[in-house]
Amino acid sequence: MTELTIRSVITNQPEYHERFLLSKLREGDEDAFNCIFYTYYKGLVLSANKFLMDHDKAEEAVQGIFVKLWSDREQIKINTSLKTYLQKSVQNKCLDILKHKKIVQNYMNKTKIQPKDETINIDDLILFDELNEKIEYSINNLPENCREIFKLSRYEGLK
């Protein structure tokens, strides 16, 4: 189904548009995903920025939500509206980021007091490699356009 057809269904039948988009998304329809992305992305970034007070981190958080939406599309269970689901996902992601930031800050404060250990931990290297593999796998499973946008924003610093 083309993006034009999806947009016409949304315009002509607004009460069904979220259910329709979710149905098409579950089927792997990239146009449905793009429609969801372009409909909600800016508003979600604004919400995330209110939490994080950092526009780049807000964009990163929202992009992560959309990556997860696409990768979990077949199993996703949404009991509220799509908009509410996405807003709650962004809120939770921002809270996780803020918690992580606090943990890092606490760690940094502790390491200032304690002597630094410069040895490389083999387990950390293995975990790092596994994490990189999972990230690459997730990126490669994105739709072509999303994958390109993600790579440009992450690896080349473009927005």
Side-chain angles (χ1 to χ4, degrees):
M1 179 167 277
T2 67
E3 186 174 348
L4 180 60
T5 306
I6 291 172
R7 288 195 188 279
S8 68
V9 168
I10 291 169
T11 303
N12 296 327
Q13 301 173 347
E15 65 275 9
Y16 300 113
H17 79 279
E18 283 191 352
R19 282 187 282 166
F20 175 76
L21 285 173
L22 284 171
S23 163
K24 298 309 285 177
L25 177 70
R26 285 186 185 104
E27 295 170 8
D29 188 312
E30 290 181 25
D31 289 333
F33 177 82
N34 288 335
C35 187
I36 293 167
F37 181 86
Y38 290 112
T39 299
Y40 296 109
Y41 181 79
K42 287 181 183 178
L44 293 172
V45 170
L46 289 173
S47 290
N49 195 38
K50 288 179 184 176
F51 275 98
L52 302 174
M53 306 304 265
D54 181 330
H55 187 75
D56 290 338
K57 294 235 185 270
E59 283 188 332
E60 185 176 330
V62 173
Q63 288 169 3
I65 297 300
F66 279 105
V67 168
K68 185 166 176 45
L69 180 68
W70 178 257
S71 65
D72 294 348
R73 69 188 177 278
E74 294 172 355
Q75 301 86 18
I76 200 160
K77 301 268 189 280
I78 298 177
N79 299 322
T80 61
S81 71
L82 177 59
K83 181 178 182 178
T84 300
Y85 172 84
L86 291 171
Q87 287 174 331
K88 191 66 172 172
S89 296
V90 167
Q91 181 181 10
N92 290 337
K93 179 74 170 173
C94 290
L95 291 173
D96 289 344
I97 290 169
L98 292 172
K99 286 177 192 174
H100 179 73
K101 185 177 179 180
K102 186 174 182 178
I103 290 169
V104 168
Q105 188 60 44
N106 287 339
Y107 175 78
M108 296 299 285
N109 290 338
K110 286 180 183 180
T111 57
K112 288 178 185 175
I113 299 168
Q114 300 172 356
K116 290 185 179 181
D117 183 8
E118 297 293 329
T119 59
I120 297 175
N121 185 339
I122 300 293
D123 292 339
D124 288 343
L125 290 175
I126 292 169
L127 288 173
F128 182 76
D129 286 341
E130 288 175 357
L131 179 61
N132 278 334
E133 287 176 12
K134 288 179 182 178
I135 291 170
E136 276 301 313
Y137 177 78
S138 295
I139 292 170
N140 289 332
N141 284 323
L142 289 171
E144 178 80 31
N145 290 342
C146 294
R147 182 174 47 244
E148 186 64 28
I149 290 169
F150 183 84
K151 285 182 177 181
L152 288 172
S153 77
R154 286 294 156 256
Y155 302 133
E156 297 182 28
L158 299 175
K159 292 186 181 185

